[in-house]
């Protein structure tokens, strides 16, 4: 049984404040018995892409930034795995990413968002470069963790790819506001959990930032499509226990993966 903690946070323009809040919630997660803690998209800053065409300076950090070193140190000291969502500069480009740091303080993986949208309140193409990492699964002591960065979750192939690669859980860091179809977004996680017989997790921001109201409602969906945990609209640490043996039993019973004829699909 693996306990996961989702840090649903109200974030500000003050990067230092957001950094220390992440450390606080990482500590809270450890005290709550979690082996794994995850954070919402772009957790160190206000959601910049809500505005079109702003200057790009100071919206991202480099891989050698002290905050990343601090996260590594905290994961090692607390003995917990952290799934962080950071805006990174990389080869002179800016990426929306997720980073796994294990309980030894080592960076296990970084994945960049593959699909970059440009729509009202989500002017991401003004800032981010699309990654070409695809969808990866990271082996850890808390299971095989699949990573999906926000908009990439709208493609069902992302979840199926992670399942076929052996993921026990698919975690997606998001920035979803109250005007979006929240019930649909919930089912968008619950249906692939059912279809792939694994856990799915969505961790969101909350609170007012500029012109956006983030809705919270982070969730953990179980392999049978039910809700294992659902957050409210305020800042909180959402906890859920994941039973991977249950996943294996359902996977054998349902046979959705084993019976799939991949040669029948054209992508």
């Amino acid at each position: 049984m693996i306990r996961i903690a989702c840090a649903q946070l109200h974030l500000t323009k003050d990067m230092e404040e957001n950094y220390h809040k992440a450390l606080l919630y990482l500590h809270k997660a450890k005290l709550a018995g979690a082996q794994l803690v995850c954070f919402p998209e772009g957790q160190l800053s206000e959601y910049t892409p809500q505005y079109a065409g702003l200057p790009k300076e100071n919206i991202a950090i480099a891989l050698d930034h002290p905050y990343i070193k601090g996260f590594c140190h905290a994961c090692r000291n607390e003995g917990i795995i952290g799934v962080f969502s950071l805006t990174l500069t990389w080869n002179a480009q800016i990426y929306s990413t997720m980073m796994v740091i294990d309980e030894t303080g080592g960076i296990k993986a970084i994945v960049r968002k593959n699909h970059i949208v440009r729509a009202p309140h989500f002017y991401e193409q003004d800032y981010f470069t699309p990654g070409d990492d695809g969808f990866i699964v990271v082996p850890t002591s808390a299971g095989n963790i699949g990573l999906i960065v926000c908009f990439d979750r709208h493609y069902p192939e992302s979840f199926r790819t992670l399942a076929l690669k052996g993921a026990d859980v698919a975690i997606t860091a998001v920035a979803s506001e109250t005007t979006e179809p929240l019930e649909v977004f919930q089912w968008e996680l619950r249906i692939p959990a059912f279809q792939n017989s694994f856990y799915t997790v969505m961790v969101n921001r909350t609170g007012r930032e500029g012109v956006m109201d983030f809705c919270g409602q982070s969730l953990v969906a179980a392999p049978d499509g039910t809700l294992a945990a659902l957050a409210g609209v305020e800042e909180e640490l959402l906890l859920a226990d994941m039973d991977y043996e249950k996943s294996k039993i359902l996977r054998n019973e349902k046979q959705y993966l084993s019976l799939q004829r991949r040669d029948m699909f054209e992508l």
Side-chain angles (χ1 to χ4, degrees):
M1 191 76 72
I2 298 296
R3 176 163 292 179
I4 187 170
C6 302
Q8 179 171 285
L9 304 180
H10 181 199
L11 302 165
T12 71
K13 294 181 179 180
D14 188 330
M15 194 174 288
E16 184 79 4
E17 179 182 344
N18 296 329
Y19 168 67
H20 286 289
K21 180 177 283 190
L23 295 180
L24 173 63
Y25 271 79
L26 188 145
H27 179 63
K28 287 183 176 181
K30 180 62 177 181
L31 290 179
Q35 293 99 332
L36 172 65
V37 59
C38 54
F39 294 88
E41 185 182 25
Q43 68 180 84
L44 287 178
S45 64
E46 186 180 61
Y47 186 69
T48 302
Q50 66 183 289
Y51 307 108
L54 293 182
K56 297 181 182 180
E57 292 81 9
N58 302 318
I59 72 168
I61 62 173
L63 285 169
D64 61 353
H65 195 279
Y67 289 163
I68 296 179
K69 296 178 182 178
F71 288 145
C72 291
H73 181 77
C75 286
R76 182 174 65 252
N77 278 359
E78 299 283 359
I80 194 170
I81 299 166
V83 181
F84 302 93
S85 184
L86 308 172
T87 304
L88 295 180
T89 55
W90 193 335
N91 296 328
Q93 302 294 330
I94 298 175
Y95 297 93
S96 179
T97 77
M98 292 174 70
M99 174 186 293
V100 178
I101 300 175
D102 72 10
E103 69 273 28
T104 71
I107 297 174
K108 296 284 289 184
I110 302 171
V111 63
R112 300 169 291 177
K113 188 190 296 187
N114 297 295
H115 302 91
I116 309 299
V117 67
R118 194 178 195 281
H121 291 190
F122 296 93
Y123 300 100
E124 295 185 350
Q125 291 181 12
D126 293 5
Y127 306 95
F128 302 143
T129 298
D132 55 5
D133 301 305
F135 298 95
I136 68 168
V137 175
V138 187
T140 75
S141 62
N144 296 324
I145 300 172
L147 303 174
I148 299 174
V149 188
C150 198
F151 194 81
D152 287 345
R153 78 187 188 279
H154 298 309
Y155 299 89
E157 297 85 0
S158 59
F159 292 97
R160 178 51 53 92
T161 299
L162 293 176
L164 292 172
K165 289 184 175 182
D168 295 306
V169 56
I171 301 175
T172 178
V174 306
S176 296
E177 58 180 333
T178 56
T179 57
E180 297 186 270
L182 305 184
E183 185 177 354
V184 173
F185 284 1
Q186 185 183 114
W187 282 108
E188 201 171 33
L189 272 287
R190 294 177 67 178
I191 289 172
F194 176 80
Q195 291 176 333
N196 295 291
S197 302
F198 66 178
Y199 287 88
T200 61
V201 177
M202 181 169 67
V203 56
N204 193 20
R205 307 161 80 102
T206 191
R208 181 79 178 182
E209 297 179 29
V211 300
M212 298 181 74
D213 282 307
F214 292 100
C215 61
Q217 299 185 47
S218 300
L219 65 87
V220 179
D224 59 0
T226 60
L227 283 173
L230 177 65
V233 299
E234 304 296 332
E235 186 170 284
E236 70 172 277
L237 186 70
L238 180 71
L239 300 169
D241 292 322
M242 302 185 296
D243 185 349
Y244 296 151
E245 289 303 314
K246 177 181 178 181
S247 302
K248 293 177 183 177
I249 292 170
L250 282 175
R251 194 171 298 130
N252 290 332
E253 289 179 352
K254 299 297 184 182
Q255 304 177 63
Y256 297 141
L257 297 181
S258 61
L259 288 178
Q260 182 182 4
R261 297 177 60 190
R262 300 184 203 179
D263 58 318
M264 295 292 102
F265 297 91
E266 296 181 11
L267 298 177

